[in-house]
Amino acid sequence: MAILGNIIKGVIELKDTFTSEIIHEEAQENVLKELLERAKHTQFGAHFNFEAILESENPQKSFAAQVPYYDYNKINDEWWHKLHNGETDVTWPGNPSYFALSSGTTGKTSKRIPVTDDMIEAIRGAGIKQVFALNNFDLPADFFEKEIMMLGSSTDLIVKDNHKEGEISGISASNIPSWFRGYYKPGEEISQIDDWDDRVQRIAERAKDWDIGALSGIPSWIELMLQKVIEYHNLNHIHEIWPNLQVYTSGGVAFAPYEKSFKALLGKPVTVIDTYLASEGYIATQVRPETDAMQLNTDNGIYFEFVPFKPEYINQDGSLTDEAPALTLREVETDQDYVLIISTVSGAWRYLIGDTIEFTDVKRAEIKITGRTKFFLNTVGSQLSVNKMDAAMRELEEKFDTTISEYTICAKRGDDDEFYHYWYLGSDVEGVDNSEIAKALDESLKNANKNYKVARSKALHGVKVKVISPERFYDWNERNKKKGGQVKMERVMGEEKFADWEAFIKES
């Protein structure tokens, strides 16, 4: 009998019974006031007169009117660079203990995003919320006695001056609560291995020693790890060595493109729970099994604003125009893409995180990620969001009985000076011509998006598709990987990056 598991599950159920439902709009108002109060004596707070904002009749509106939008480059050039010069109390009291080296998909160098002790506490609090939400998924008591495989970047962080640097997953894993360490795998020793391949090899070697009940990590990382374990132990599927695996917590990117290939590695179904952890903070987590939407963490160190994602509000580089209106949680509606803006306990203010979202349930503050501001493909008016592209990939998988775990696209002029969408699809499909797949993809996107259909009748001249082995994508990730981890493959590339990609494909 799972005595400990029953105790833990009982505590979770009891917590749920005595916890009142969050009123998200009020929680957000309180979070903004707390942020302004904490930071009013910083350089940033003094410059924008946070004290006056706090004393105003409507702090949310005053805040939006007084503080401009920032993306990483702007806030780093104007404020965060001071942190690296030894200044304190810049955008948040004191100095950050960590800097997250973003493994994002833009730029040639890693962003260095402050992670304060307050943010570590906020991330930990959001993680505890996720644990308590497991009560909604009707898991058996013995699940709560199993070990959890958390696969992220290396926890062997870089020590630099008076702080440490690494990817956010490595920073988070290095700060797990002491009570959780008994459940945490692969454990501190293996997690500190800097080389990704060496770390996964050690996991494969030790896999039989662990009773894994849950996995957590970016889908592509988890898939590669599972494949290595299966190969090393000559298994048919992962449940032959981890028979009690019941939950997979996905994060970093949308899970849908990996669903089919992920399921192929399993012996039985598992519960998939989506999360949204970025370098800037723990944004949202799925709390109900009835939906794959995620609930914003509205009461935990992050204040959210939402800009309607419309062409007139977006500059060519993906930044926002000064006139772009920011809505509060009280003002949003469903079926509308929004640019996500955050202000945090790490000293990010009205910060353009780069993602677009839509609300599926406003009262519950539940969202889905719909794309990236820079990677929302709007060349010649096609207005393709990443979720539309992902949906098209699922249709192609069904039509051609294959799996497409990776893809990338670039909109650029061809040799005839006309605009085309150039696609590379990672698939092992056989006996199908690229032109046939291109035609099916084109029709799928026309049916799903009226703007794309209009663009195809005018300025978008055509669609070109090349199917390559998924291994080429993994090789690209390997070449471009960050410290102790893997990169996230770009769904949409700019022309310069795409030229590098095509050169890499030709070389390999």
Side-chain angles (χ1 to χ4, degrees), residues 388-459:
K388 290 287 195 302
M389 300 180 208
D390 287 346
M393 294 302 106
R394 307 292 75 76
E395 288 191 24
L396 292 182
E397 287 183 335
E398 292 297 320
K399 181 176 178 64
F400 296 105
D401 190 25
T402 188
T403 297
I404 304 172
S405 58
E406 301 286 357
Y407 69 86
T408 193
I409 176 177
C410 179
K412 65 187 185 76
R413 294 185 185 275
D415 295 334
D416 55 3
D417 206 36
E418 298 284 356
F419 267 105
Y420 292 84
H421 282 177
Y422 290 81
W423 292 79
Y424 278 84
L425 309 183
S427 174
D428 293 322
V429 62
E430 297 179 354
V432 182
D433 189 79
N434 284 336
S435 61
E436 185 180 350
I437 297 176
K439 182 178 178 180
L441 174 58
D442 194 28
E443 289 301 316
S444 174
L445 292 172
K446 285 179 184 177
N447 293 334
N449 189 321
K450 63 181 180 181
N451 293 305
Y452 177 85
K453 187 174 183 179
V454 170
R456 280 292 286 115
S457 67
K458 295 182 179 180

Side-chain angles (χ1 to χ4, degrees), residues 225-241:
M225 182 272 292
L226 294 180
Q227 289 167 358
K228 184 66 175 179
V229 173
I230 290 170
E231 176 188 350
Y232 183 84
H233 294 278
N234 194 26
L235 309 173
N236 294 309
H237 54 74
I238 197 63
H239 277 106
E240 288 185 350
I241 196 167

Side-chain angles (χ1 to χ4, degrees), residues 4-5 18 37 44 58 98 142 146 157 222 238 253 283 296-297 325 335 342 347 355 362 380 419 459 487 503 505:
L4 179 59
F18 287 99
E37 184 67 36
F44 192 94
N58 188 329
Y98 304 90
D142 64 356
K146 307 306 177 185
L157 306 177
I222 292 292
I238 197 63
V253 295
I283 308 296
L296 290 172
N297 289 319
D335 302 319
I342 64 172
D355 291 328
V362 174
V380 298
F419 267 105
V487 297
I505 294 300

Side-chain angles (χ1 to χ4, degrees), residues 2-3 45 61 108 128 169-170 181 219 270 278 299 330 337 340 404:
I3 298 175
K61 293 300 180 186
K108 292 186 176 181
I128 291 173
S169 58
R181 289 174 185 163
V270 301
D299 62 344
R330 291 188 184 277
D337 280 348
L340 186 62
I404 304 172

Side-chain angles (χ1 to χ4, degrees), residues 144-423:
F144 296 95
E145 294 187 332
K146 307 306 177 185
E147 295 161 325
I148 300 176
M149 171 67 69
M150 297 173 60
L151 189 62
S153 301
S154 172
T155 58
D156 184 22
L157 306 177
I158 301 168
V159 178
K160 194 169 185 178
D161 299 328
N162 61 343
H163 65 266
K164 296 180 180 179
E165 297 184 353
E167 288 194 44
I168 190 63
S169 58
I171 293 172
S172 299
S174 68
N175 282 278
I176 60 173
S178 57
W179 59 266
F180 182 70
R181 289 174 185 163
Y183 295 91
Y184 166 58
K185 299 301 175 190
E188 294 182 36
E189 180 183 349
I190 295 178
S191 296
Q192 290 179 351
I193 296 175
D194 192 48
D195 184 85
W196 164 263
D197 296 317
D198 289 348
R199 182 149 31 102
V200 172
Q201 176 65 29
R202 288 287 302 279
I203 289 172
E205 293 169 359
R206 292 287 311 279
K208 64 181 183 300
D209 300 330
W210 302 323
D211 187 6
I212 302 297
L215 303 171
S216 179
I218 293 173
S220 57
W221 299 15
I222 292 292
E223 276 197 17
L224 291 171
M225 182 272 292
L226 294 180
Q227 289 167 358
K228 184 66 175 179
V229 173
I230 290 170
E231 176 188 350
Y232 183 84
H233 294 278
N234 194 26
L235 309 173
N236 294 309
H237 54 74
I238 197 63
H239 277 106
E240 288 185 350
I241 196 167
W242 293 333
N244 295 309
L245 175 61
Q246 299 181 66
V247 172
Y248 168 48
T249 301
S250 178
V253 295
F255 175 68
Y258 301 91
E259 184 173 7
K260 190 171 183 179
S261 55
F262 181 82
K263 286 182 176 179
L265 302 173
L266 307 177
K268 55 188 176 183
V270 301
T271 297
V272 178
I273 300 174
D274 272 323
T275 64
Y276 185 2
L277 173 63
S279 298
E280 295 83 358
Y282 198 155
I283 308 296
T285 190
Q286 181 184 345
V287 298
R288 298 188 298 137
E290 308 95 281
T291 176
D292 58 356
M294 298 173 288
Q295 186 176 85
L296 290 172
N297 289 319
T298 56
D299 62 344
N300 214 355
I302 302 177
Y303 175 68
F304 299 101
E305 296 173 272
F306 312 93
V307 175
F309 191 41
K310 297 180 179 180
E312 58 265 34
Y313 302 144
I314 312 297
N315 294 317
Q316 190 67 32
D317 63 357
S319 62
L320 295 174
T321 65
D322 293 336
E323 299 76 26
L327 306 182
T328 67
L329 193 53
R330 291 188 184 277
E331 299 169 310
V332 297
E333 56 189 28
T334 56
D335 302 319
Q336 163 70 56
D337 280 348
Y338 294 100
V339 179
L340 186 62
I341 306 296
I342 64 172
S343 299
T344 78
V345 291
S346 274
W349 295 103
R350 306 204 76 212
Y351 183 92
L352 176 66
I353 197 171
D355 291 328
T356 61
I357 59 98
E358 69 170 334
F359 282 87
T360 60
D361 190 315
V362 174
K363 183 179 179 182
R364 289 190 171 98
E366 289 180 338
I367 64 163
K368 287 187 176 181
I369 302 171
T370 57
R372 297 280 292 172
T373 52
K374 290 186 179 181
F375 301 155
F376 187 89
L377 196 59
N378 195 29
T379 306
V380 298
S382 51
Q383 292 194 24
L384 277 182
S385 59
V386 171
N387 63 332
K388 290 287 195 302
M389 300 180 208
D390 287 346
M393 294 302 106
R394 307 292 75 76
E395 288 191 24
L396 292 182
E397 287 183 335
E398 292 297 320
K399 181 176 178 64
F400 296 105
D401 190 25
T402 188
T403 297
I404 304 172
S405 58
E406 301 286 357
Y407 69 86
T408 193
I409 176 177
C410 179
K412 65 187 185 76
R413 294 185 185 275
D415 295 334
D416 55 3
D417 206 36
E418 298 284 356
F419 267 105
Y420 292 84
H421 282 177
Y422 290 81
W423 292 79

